[in-house]
Amino acid sequence: MFFRSFFDENLAHMSYLVGCQRTGEAIIIDPARNLQLYKETAEKEGLEIIAATETHIHADFVSGSREAAKQLGATLYLSDEGDENWKYQYLDEVNYVLLKDGSTFTIGLVEFQVMHTPGHTPESISFVLTDKGSGSTKPMGIFSGDFVFVGDIGRPDLLEKAAGVKGTASLGARQMFHSLKKFKSLPDYLQVWPAHGAGSACGKALGAVPVSTVGYEKLNNWALKIEDEEEFVTTLLTGQPEPPAYFAMMKKVNKLGPDYLNDGPIKTLSSVEELERFSSETVILDTRSAKDFAASHFKGAINIPFDKSITNWAGWLIGYDQNIVLITPEKDLDSIRKALASIGLDKIVARVEPAIALEDTSNLENYREIDVHQLQKLLHDDQYHLIDVRNQSEWDDGRIESAQHIMLGTLKNRLNEIPAGKKYIVQCRSGARSAIAASILQANGLHDVYNLKGGYIAWKKENLPILK
């Protein structure tokens, strides 16, 4: 048997390619939208990808299953669990097999047995793998999707918080409690192959180790130690992070069927005048570092630096109905395009080199940084207004006096809550998210902005006053 895992650090997403080396057939589990790495690996190993499957209708990235059916002619093995609200809507255009609890299917001599494991979502399934090609009759491991992670389990509140399906969080938590009983009955030696690692918003405390075992999780995973259902439900639902705004759209996209990838050329702008002609419905996204953006940037642009968090904040801050113009070097264009496409942000209409965007000094602005001691002196000056853009859990743990709390992902929709006519200081944990916030404020007409250097960490380090 051939086994290879793939990790997308932008999404903290794990996917897998499993092949039978005797028959030369392979399957992708929880595929990313861009199939290139799977195709290259399969070709190198002399395998043909004949199938793709997914553990549930994903909410945090665009699934590559439909793309695999189109590009590779792959048969899709998909969940038939859950009610009518959790059925795939694009099956009339693909070859497919629907799966329920207890179903089995084979890829060559590799067997997959289906376990219905609801809780994270109603249709969630896991796959227990047995490598019969090696002569084994005992299973090797379980693809657990967003059911069991290393050190954590899938959150059950996304349908309610992100998709607005009322009452599903508590129901999902109770379903998760009973699904975990199935997991606990599995042999301790089984490897656990989850769909996410540390950094994913699909749980609250995911471990950074990419693989575990059933036995290890029984000993160390907090969720598998709680025997009382009420205690379990309360603990699971407490302290879950804010789900990114794009999760609701991803759920819909993956249910109805994602658009096929568009890899056509993107227009390159050659002058500031061309950039200025784009309408207010267009997002101008500058992907340079926060330091470079702060020093000088095109008026109206927002800044999300090109690093591993670009997909998360782009999903929060860019609408799916908005065209995107990138201010970014040509060398980064392909990688940025793939990152944005992984969450369905496909409407990139143009790109311009940073040097060109900065040519007309009349169209530029900047923002400054202040340190914590400067902030302390300004806290009681009515000309200044402090905005804390951290998550709710961070705010609850401690905050700076007089700060207004507006979590970064919600900032663009809550600008009306910010008092007018002030000088604005933005603050987060370390200064990275508040730099993005500074760009949001300036792009929306609040130009007198300062970023707190070092953020809340620097404030605490200097033993300055904290409110809880």
Side-chain angles (χ1 to χ4, degrees), residues 177-198:
F177 181 78
H178 293 283
S179 292
L180 288 174
K181 291 182 179 180
K182 292 184 182 180
F183 183 85
K184 291 177 184 179
S185 71
L186 296 171
D188 284 358
Y189 61 80
L190 253 63
Q191 295 182 56
V192 176
W193 303 307
H196 293 291

Side-chain angles (χ1 to χ4, degrees), residues 30 59 120 142 164 167 181 226 238 247 256 286 364 373 450-451 466:
D30 287 327
H120 178 64
I142 179 172
K181 291 182 179 180
I226 301 177
T238 299
F247 273 24
L256 298 180
D286 190 327
L364 302 181
H373 296 291
Y450 303 80
N451 186 27
I466 290 171

Side-chain angles (χ1 to χ4, degrees), residues 173-410:
R174 295 186 187 281
Q175 289 177 329
M176 180 66 78
F177 181 78
H178 293 283
S179 292
L180 288 174
K181 291 182 179 180
K182 292 184 182 180
F183 183 85
K184 291 177 184 179
S185 71
L186 296 171
D188 284 358
Y189 61 80
L190 253 63
Q191 295 182 56
V192 176
W193 303 307
H196 293 291
S200 170
C202 290
K204 57 182 175 181
L206 280 69
V209 177
V211 65
S212 185
T213 65
V214 170
Y216 187 85
E217 293 307 306
K218 287 180 187 178
L219 293 172
N220 294 283
N221 190 317
W222 68 267
L224 276 70
K225 296 178 182 180
I226 301 177
E227 299 296 336
D228 178 76
E229 184 171 346
E230 298 306 319
E231 179 188 356
F232 175 86
V233 169
T234 299
T235 304
L236 179 55
L237 293 178
T238 299
Q240 292 288 0
E242 294 89 343
Y246 71 91
F247 273 24
M249 177 61 75
M250 290 298 92
K251 204 75 174 170
K252 179 180 178 181
V253 163
N254 288 325
K255 174 183 172 181
L256 298 180
D259 290 337
Y260 296 119
L261 276 172
N262 175 16
D263 56 1
I266 292 173
K267 181 179 181 180
T268 297
L269 306 181
S270 58
S271 69
V272 176
E273 289 73 24
E274 285 186 284
L275 181 58
E276 291 172 344
R277 283 197 284 268
F278 282 92
S279 71
S280 59
E281 286 75 37
T282 300
V283 174
I284 299 174
L285 174 59
D286 190 327
T287 65
R288 294 177 300 148
S289 70
K291 180 180 179 182
D292 289 344
F293 184 89
S296 182
H297 57 266
F298 184 83
K299 284 182 181 178
I302 68 169
N303 177 222
I304 307 177
F306 176 40
D307 57 31
K308 66 180 182 180
S309 67
I310 189 171
T311 50
N312 177 62
W313 294 120
W316 270 108
L317 300 170
I318 299 176
Y320 281 87
D321 58 344
Q322 294 180 295
N323 290 329
I324 303 168
V325 175
L326 294 174
I327 298 177
T328 197
E330 183 178 10
K331 65 180 179 61
D332 292 335
L333 176 61
D334 185 58
S335 296
I336 293 171
R337 188 179 187 181
K338 288 177 180 176
L340 297 181
S342 71
I343 58 169
L345 290 173
D346 297 338
K347 300 178 73 173
I348 302 173
V349 295
R351 178 199 70 88
V352 62
E353 285 288 332
I356 292 175
L358 300 177
E359 279 182 346
D360 183 356
T361 56
S362 67
N363 241 328
L364 302 181
E365 64 182 342
N366 57 50
Y367 65 81
R368 287 164 285 173
E369 286 191 325
I370 62 172
D371 64 32
V372 293
H373 296 291
Q374 290 171 303
L375 172 60
Q376 188 180 33
K377 294 176 182 178
L378 298 173
L379 281 180
H380 300 290
D381 186 334
D382 191 52
Q383 296 183 76
Y384 293 85
H385 183 71
L386 176 63
I387 304 170
D388 184 335
V389 299
R390 295 176 301 157
N391 296 339
Q392 184 66 46
S393 59
E394 295 173 291
W395 169 265
D396 291 341
D397 283 342
R399 60 185 177 85
I400 300 172
E401 179 189 359
S402 77
Q404 178 184 16
H405 182 225
I406 304 180
M407 184 264 181
L408 172 58
T410 67

Side-chain angles (χ1 to χ4, degrees), residues 12-16 29-31 53-58 60-61 115 117 120-121 123-128 141-150 152-155 176 183 191-197 200 202-203 206 210:
H13 167 222
M14 296 287 295
S15 56
Y16 304 86
I29 294 95
D30 287 327
T53 188
E54 54 192 55
T55 51
H56 62 295
I57 300 173
H58 293 281
D60 55 318
F61 67 94
M115 284 176 53
T117 50
H120 178 64
T121 60
E123 82 289 357
S124 174
I125 54 178
S126 300
F127 304 107
V128 177
I142 179 172
F143 293 100
S144 58
D146 290 16
F147 167 41
V148 175
F149 302 121
V150 178
D152 201 4
I153 57 173
R155 59 190 297 181
M176 180 66 78
F183 183 85
Q191 295 182 56
V192 176
W193 303 307
H196 293 291
S200 170
C202 290
L206 280 69

